[in-house]
Amino acid sequence: MDSVEETAGGYQPWSEVTPEAARRLLVAAVEAFAERGYHATTTRDIAGRAGMSPAALYIHYKTKEELLHRISRIGHDKALEILTTASDGPGSAAERLDAAVRSFVRWHAAHHTTARVVQYELDALAPEHRSDIVALRRRSDAAVRRILADGVEAGEFDVPDLPGTTLAVLSLCIDVARWFSVAGQRTPDEVGALYADLVLRMVGARTPAPRE
């Protein structure tokens, strides 16, 4: 996993996964899925990256798909936390949308390897696990839609299509994981600031949110 992912924002990826062997396997799976794709990755690939035998993987995870679901669940829980914290926080709708986009984009940039797996391997999940993740995505969608609706009600935003605009905002943020590189010219913070400004312009924000 890229070193920036280990330190950005003080967030230690997968610290909630124990024991250490299970965490090592999960980190190895993230790297393999991001590099090769879920379907092209074998359990032997994952175990080898973790420096363990293939048999050791099954002590902690019954299947490769269970590993993917664990990764996806943790990532989507984090996404929901970021967006609801902004949605339920203080300030005007413009300030809350600014905070939501900045934080969400920053996470997708700083943790781009993880985010690519979390956001783009959804179809590989078993039906019951996919339903679990889709429910979390709907809650994230609702958090952003609440901010936009508040802004329209307060006269801060010009958004004639709330569902469509919500989808556009989230899609814009998520796509950062696809192209972001630590070798690029912008830091995660800089990309977050850029996208927050773009989104506020997109919704016709009447009063610019304060900048950090």
Side-chain angles (χ1 to χ4, degrees), residues 77-89:
D77 280 340
K78 183 63 180 179
L80 180 59
E81 176 191 333
I82 289 169
L83 294 173
T84 54
T85 296
S87 177
D88 298 340

Side-chain angles (χ1 to χ4, degrees), residues 105-106 109 176 179-180 186-196:
V105 167
R106 187 165 51 223
V176 169
W179 61 260
F180 185 84
R186 297 181 189 271
T187 66
D189 283 340
E190 289 170 341
V191 177
L194 171 64
Y195 274 53

